[in-house]
Amino acid sequence: MRIRDLLDIPGLRLRLLTGDPDREFGTVHITDLPEPGRYLSGGELVLTGLMWRQEPEDSARFVTTLAEAGVAAVGAGAALLGHVPDDLVAACAAAGLPLLEVPTEVSFRTLTELAAPRASGDVRAALGRHRRLVAAVAEGADLRELFELAAAELGVTGAVVTASGHVVVGTVAEPEEVARAYLTAPRLPARAAGRTIFAVGRGHRAAGWALALDGDLLDRADLGYELAACVGLERMRREEGRRVERRLAEQLVVAALADADAAELNARLRTCGLGAAEPYAVVDVSAPRPGATRGPDPATLGGQVVEELLGREVVAAAGADGAVAVVPLRGSTAGELAARLRAAAEVLSALPGTRVCAGLSGSLTGAAALKGGVEEAGHARRLAEARGGGVVTSDEIYTHALLLATVPADVRRSFAARLLTPLLDYDRRHQSELVRTLGIFLDCAGSWNACAERLHVHVNTVRYRVRRIEELTGRNLATMADRVDFYLALRDSAPPR
């Protein structure tokens, strides 16, 4: 029921002193306790005779308690003082609580009796709306139809956006902004960029859906909860449908790694919706959560993330340490797929304590390429984990970076320090540039002139610095082995150039 509805009841002669007349309340609560918060559950119209007020400062304390409890509005009786004091009006205005003046001749009991049937009528209407929405979902309405019905029944519009910024249904100009607000909000529902954001379901946020409704609906959160519950039903239905598809994808990956014959793999590819000559790529994803003791494991969470990002046609088979998805490249390239994965990983990085690590194979065709693609994607994902998150493509793993990623970090640091410390110490003492010169000399493939040009110095200066480097380290930059050692040490320590 709205405050406006009370104001319109003949004979009550209520007067709105401050606040929004369209604010809704669910129940009526009468109290004269100075701090009644423990007895309130939120959404009430609180009626008070002001017996708690001994001095003007008491009003702020009383209203603060009500605001913290989430009450909808306040009705103050004029019988005790003959009026509603200005300090109570000011406190309610500051807290954003509507304040009604109840005339002396109107008892709180009368007001409650008149309001209760109307409020229950609102409840019945809400239940009716909810039943119609649930019935529509049960009868097979898709999310687009559900949103059309919600606009007609609830008068609300908006969109459903995944945590990675993909729009599931509806219209929203900046889905990544909605996703970041959903991931970073300390609690939901929350206001963000002219919308009210609700969570759909109770899963981990990194794999969740955000319901973004247009406008400020925190005062009408019941509407958002109704629609979120119905969207959650549709998501559960989709999830049930994916169980069989995930099992088929898992059987495909297992068969590929077991070197099954081409006929069997082609049949399994067709079962998973891929033609024998259709290009595809393999994605291997995990979402580690350091220190987490509850919730989905990294592989399961990674699979949920990649499914939500890439749409209904993609399912992921959870493995021992990563989730594997075979992704059709219909009208796109592996590079475009990598860009989508990187954009999603960047959005999800806004969620504290969660990082996405994804590996992507190159473009593949046919059953014979599947095993190599799965192995490529797995190597790339492990390299992404060694880097602390992000997306690594197959092009990046066929370099020294993959070999370095398999070496423990403390061993790499020890190797780099042993080789470069004499040069770093010399540079600090003499304000010289031996380390920088070494890096540019190697980048120039040992060309004295090219290195001198890059450093803007004479070629003899480069020769002098290289001799000094060799003296301090005992290495010979004329040999390939020592050049490789220096190159790897510099790449691992990444000194400034």
Side-chain angles (χ1 to χ4, degrees):
M1 184 175 186
R2 300 174 188 270
I3 298 297
R4 187 184 300 281
D5 298 330
L6 276 182
L7 295 171
D8 291 340
I9 296 177
L12 288 184
R13 289 182 285 110
L14 302 178
R15 191 160 63 98
L16 182 66
L17 301 180
T18 185
D20 181 5
D22 289 321
R23 179 75 62 87
E24 292 185 341
F25 65 93
T27 59
V28 180
H29 183 88
I30 302 173
T31 183
D32 267 309
L33 293 174
E35 296 184 12
R38 72 182 69 181
Y39 304 107
L40 300 169
S41 58
E44 300 96 341
L45 167 63
V46 172
L47 301 179
T48 177
L50 305 179
M51 299 295 293
W52 45 266
R53 183 182 179 278
Q54 302 300 316
E55 53 188 2
E57 290 75 14
D58 293 338
S59 291
R61 187 180 307 112
F62 179 76
V63 171
T64 298
T65 301
L66 299 184
E68 290 176 349
V71 306
V74 182
L80 180 64
L81 302 177
H83 67 283
V84 176
D86 291 341
D87 46 88
L88 180 59
V89 177
C92 287
L97 281 179
L99 174 63
L100 293 169
E101 181 183 65
V102 182
T104 302
E105 60 273 17
V106 176
S107 71
F108 288 166
R109 179 178 178 179
T110 299
L111 183 54
T112 301
E113 290 174 348
L114 287 170
R118 296 166 186 257
S120 63
D122 286 348
V123 171
R124 286 194 295 271
L127 288 174
R129 292 194 306 266
H130 187 71
R131 289 193 189 101
R132 288 191 290 275
L133 291 172
V134 172
V137 174
E139 291 169 3
D142 60 21
L143 286 178
R144 180 187 59 79
E145 294 169 326
L146 178 63
F147 262 62
E148 290 175 354
L149 183 59
E153 290 282 351
L154 305 178
V156 295
T157 57
V160 174
V161 178
T162 70
S164 55
H166 170 68
V167 179
V168 180
V169 67
T171 304
V172 58
E174 298 176 336
E176 294 83 4
E177 181 181 347
V178 171
R180 287 192 178 90
Y182 162 72
L183 291 169
T184 57
R187 65 177 63 184
L188 294 167
R191 297 186 184 96
R195 304 179 185 90
T196 307
I197 299 176
F198 297 81
V200 175
R202 296 181 177 273
H204 193 274
R205 284 201 195 185
W209 284 4
L211 172 62
L213 299 180
D214 298 325
D216 184 354
L217 296 181
L218 287 184
D219 294 335
R220 303 174 64 195
D222 58 314
L223 301 182
Y225 288 129
E226 283 184 44
L227 188 53
C230 293
V231 173
L233 290 175
E234 171 61 15
R235 191 181 186 196
M236 288 174 59
R237 186 165 64 188
R238 290 189 182 189
E239 189 70 14
E240 287 298 321
R242 279 182 167 175
R243 292 182 187 276
V244 174
E245 295 174 349
R246 289 191 188 115
R247 192 176 304 118
L248 294 173
E250 181 180 351
Q251 292 169 355
L252 171 63
V253 172
V254 169
L257 294 177
D259 292 316
D261 61 64
E264 178 186 351
L265 288 179
N266 276 323
R268 292 191 180 279
L269 278 171
R270 286 193 297 272
T271 303
C272 293
L274 275 163
E278 186 176 0
Y280 62 90
V282 179
V283 179
D284 192 321
V285 184
S286 69
R289 297 179 297 129
T293 57
R294 296 186 299 173
D297 59 77
T300 300
L301 183 56
Q304 293 169 347
V305 166
V306 78
E307 286 178 354
E308 296 300 348
L309 168 67
L310 300 179
R312 295 190 66 176
E313 64 182 6
V314 173
V315 293
D321 53 358
V324 179
V326 180
V327 184
L329 296 176
R330 293 167 181 151
S332 62
T333 66
E336 291 169 343
L337 179 58
R340 290 172 63 188
L341 288 170
R342 288 193 176 97
E346 181 183 354
V347 174
L348 289 166
S349 67
L351 182 62
T354 299
R355 53 194 175 93
V356 175
C357 305
L360 178 64
S361 75
S363 179
L364 310 169
T365 305
L370 183 56
K371 179 180 180 180
V374 171
E375 291 174 344
E376 271 187 14
H379 289 317
R381 190 255 307 156
R382 284 185 282 275
L383 179 54
E385 289 175 345
R387 291 178 175 177
V391 179
V392 174
T393 65
S394 60
D395 294 338
E396 298 177 71
I397 66 174
Y398 296 112
T399 68
H400 65 280
L402 178 61
L403 297 178
L404 288 178
T406 63
V407 179
D410 56 343
V411 174
R412 299 199 308 270
R413 285 193 295 268
S414 176
F415 170 77
R418 183 170 183 177
L419 198 55
L420 299 179
T421 294
L423 306 182
L424 293 168
D425 289 344
Y426 186 90
D427 282 347
R428 273 193 296 270
R429 290 196 307 269
H430 298 87
Q431 287 76 51
S432 56
E433 293 187 321
L434 294 186
V435 173
R436 180 167 180 263
T437 299
L438 173 61
I440 293 177
F441 180 74
L442 295 174
D443 282 347
C444 294
S447 168
W448 306 97
N449 291 327
C451 182
E453 185 176 341
R454 287 265 301 272
L455 288 169
H456 305 291
V457 297
H458 194 275
V459 68
N460 287 339
T461 302
V462 175
R463 294 180 185 276
Y464 168 79
R465 291 179 182 177
V466 169
R467 281 200 305 272
R468 176 60 68 188
I469 290 169
E470 293 174 334
E471 291 169 0
L472 291 170
T473 61
R475 299 298 188 107
N476 181 2
L477 279 168
T479 68
M480 179 61 69
D482 284 347
R483 286 190 184 185
V484 169
D485 283 348
F486 277 124
Y487 178 83
L488 295 178
L490 286 170
R491 287 300 181 275
D492 198 63
S493 60
R497 296 192 176 184

